[in-house]
Amino acid sequence: KKYPGSFGHAQKSNNNFFAFFIAERWKVKGMGQPPTMDIDWPYITWAKHARYADQVSLSADKAHFYFQAGVDQSERFIEREKHSFISRDLPSFG
């Protein structure tokens, strides 16, 4: 399901370590494998796995999945009634 005005993508890490990085600047030869990789999971798949991970208390050494969501920066300049659910429900985005 797509949510108007929002975007997002899922990422996988081989463990519970997550770091922001710029893929184009990551040099595998000197830095090793990147801490995360983008995967083709829609939000609903990620959310199902997140509930499972919480239920079983997924250990730190198991693969972890993250979902990053956002909105276009121009959204902060429109009426609040027209904000996406991200800006409405997560005030730090607004």
Side-chain angles (χ1 to χ4, degrees), residues 19-92:
F20 289 101
F21 68 98
I22 301 172
E24 297 81 32
R25 294 186 181 173
W26 191 271
K27 306 296 183 210
V28 174
K29 189 172 184 176
M31 302 164 88
Q33 291 299 312
T36 60
M37 64 181 201
D38 291 344
I39 60 172
D40 189 24
W41 273 15
Y43 177 81
I44 196 158
T45 303
W46 173 84
K48 181 179 179 181
H49 178 76
R51 287 188 294 274
Y52 162 79
D54 285 346
Q55 183 180 17
V56 301
S57 297
L58 194 65
S59 65
D61 63 334
K62 300 293 184 196
H64 279 60
F65 299 87
Y66 303 90
F67 197 88
Q68 293 189 42
V71 298
D72 190 278
Q73 65 182 353
S74 64
E75 185 166 304
R76 72 181 87 164
F77 301 112
I78 63 174
E79 309 83 71
R80 186 151 180 79
E81 298 78 40
K82 294 183 180 177
H83 282 188
S84 68
F85 82 98
I86 292 173
S87 294
R88 279 193 322 269
D89 297 347
L90 303 170
S92 63

